[in-house]
Amino acid sequence: MNTPGFITSDVHVASRILNDGGVIGIPTETVYGLAARADKEESVGRIFDIKGRPRNHPLIAHLSAVADPLQWGFFNVHAHALAAAFWPGPITLLVPKTDRVGDWVTGGRNTVGLRVPSLPITQLLLNEVDEAVVAPSANHFGKVSPTTASHVAHDLGSDVDCILDGGQCSIGVESTIVECVNNLVSVLRPGAVTAEQISRITGLRLVSDNSESRAPGMMVSHYAPNATVVLVASAEEAQSKAHAQNLNSGEWALLNNHDVEQYALTMYDLLRTFDIQAKKVVFAVMPESHGIGEAVRDRLRKAAAQG
Ligand code: TXA
Ligand code: MG
């Protein structure tokens, strides 16, 4: 008999639990998700309860690469082009929803976030589910996203029916979110797919709008560890701030990496480690904004935001 929250690498076991209405942790190339079948309203409701997330915060629907995304959303010319260029991959397209998508997925909005993840084990799982699979990041609301199965077990443990182990996520920050409605294209959350790449594919200059009304959960403090996160420009600035605040070396930690991809890959795991070490303050050096650096900067700003 399986105990709740058990970790498995057997896709068939995980898909059976999903199809039976279970709520499970799933790996993706970005971060781990907390997943349920989109058509099972009660199971989707459990996701909000487990996370402690407001019901009006919409969920991303994940699709198999062989599914027809037009069953879930209406794609304008730009959405078509972006899907062709970047799916499967770390980009979520917000498009007008079809009737197939329940209001319990979108928080009553008329758009839906769709994503085709690229991680092979996730695709195998999605292929065994004849429906979209909704999944927010598998952490408590407002906290640091998980990038390994054991992070999910640590945060949500026995609240989930199982966790599918796909190893460490290869990107480490959440997908780029791009709204494609009324022939406009706006980046609502930066990620591994950059604004430059999106501009190149669509031929558009981009509107950047990450206001709370466009995508709930964007503006408030988010991705936050227990420690206070302080943004700095250099390791030297961190040193002198720690000194000025009379912090001893056990009380603070430095988050820094010159390689933006490595920064993204290790950031959440390090923030979790610093919490286990009960650090009071984490000084985070802001990386350069090229490539995925923009996404790292965005998450660090939110981790540092108060309230
Ligand atoms: O990489 C990712 O995107 C991960 C993995 C698991 O796929 N998922 C993820 O989900 O980060 P979540 O729920 O933690 O963040 C999705 C964000 C939320 O802020 C949500 O409000 C917004 O996307 N969102 C989703 N659908 C939306 C919609 N229809 N309209 C506006 N915002 C939407
Ligand atoms: Mg999240």
Side-chain angles (χ1 to χ4, degrees), residues 28 30-33 53 58-60 62 92 94 109 111-113 115 135-137 174-175 177 189 214-216 218:
T28 80
T30 56
V31 299
Y32 273 70
R53 174 173 168 136
L59 304 176
I60 295 172
H62 298 72
T92 297
L94 292 192
R109 288 175 177 245
T111 56
V112 62
R115 167 158 125 76
S137 52
E174 304 78 359
S175 61
I177 299 183
R189 180 174 73 182
R214 300 290 283 280
M218 291 297 171

Side-chain angles (χ1 to χ4, degrees), residues 30 147 168-173 229-235 238 253-271 274 282-301 303:
T30 56
T147 55
Q168 190 194 357
C169 301
S170 59
I171 293 175
V173 295
V229 175
V230 177
L231 306 179
V232 291
S234 67
L254 182 70
L255 196 56
N256 190 17
N257 205 308
H258 296 298
D259 178 332
V260 285
E261 274 161 22
Q262 283 299 317
Y263 206 140
L265 193 57
T266 54
M267 171 172 64
Y268 289 148
D269 183 60
L270 285 169
L271 288 174
F274 298 151
V282 174
F283 293 102
V285 178
M286 289 295 258
E288 290 181 19
S289 61
H290 63 84
I292 201 168
E294 191 56 44
V296 173
R297 291 166 66 90
D298 169 73
R299 305 308 190 275
L300 289 176
R301 274 190 224 105

Side-chain angles (χ1 to χ4, degrees), residues 31 51 53 136-140 142-143 145 174 189 222-223:
V31 299
K51 274 189 69 97
R53 174 173 168 136
S137 52
N139 51 277
H140 288 293
K143 306 305 284 183
S145 296
E174 304 78 359
R189 180 174 73 182
H222 231 83
Y223 318 107

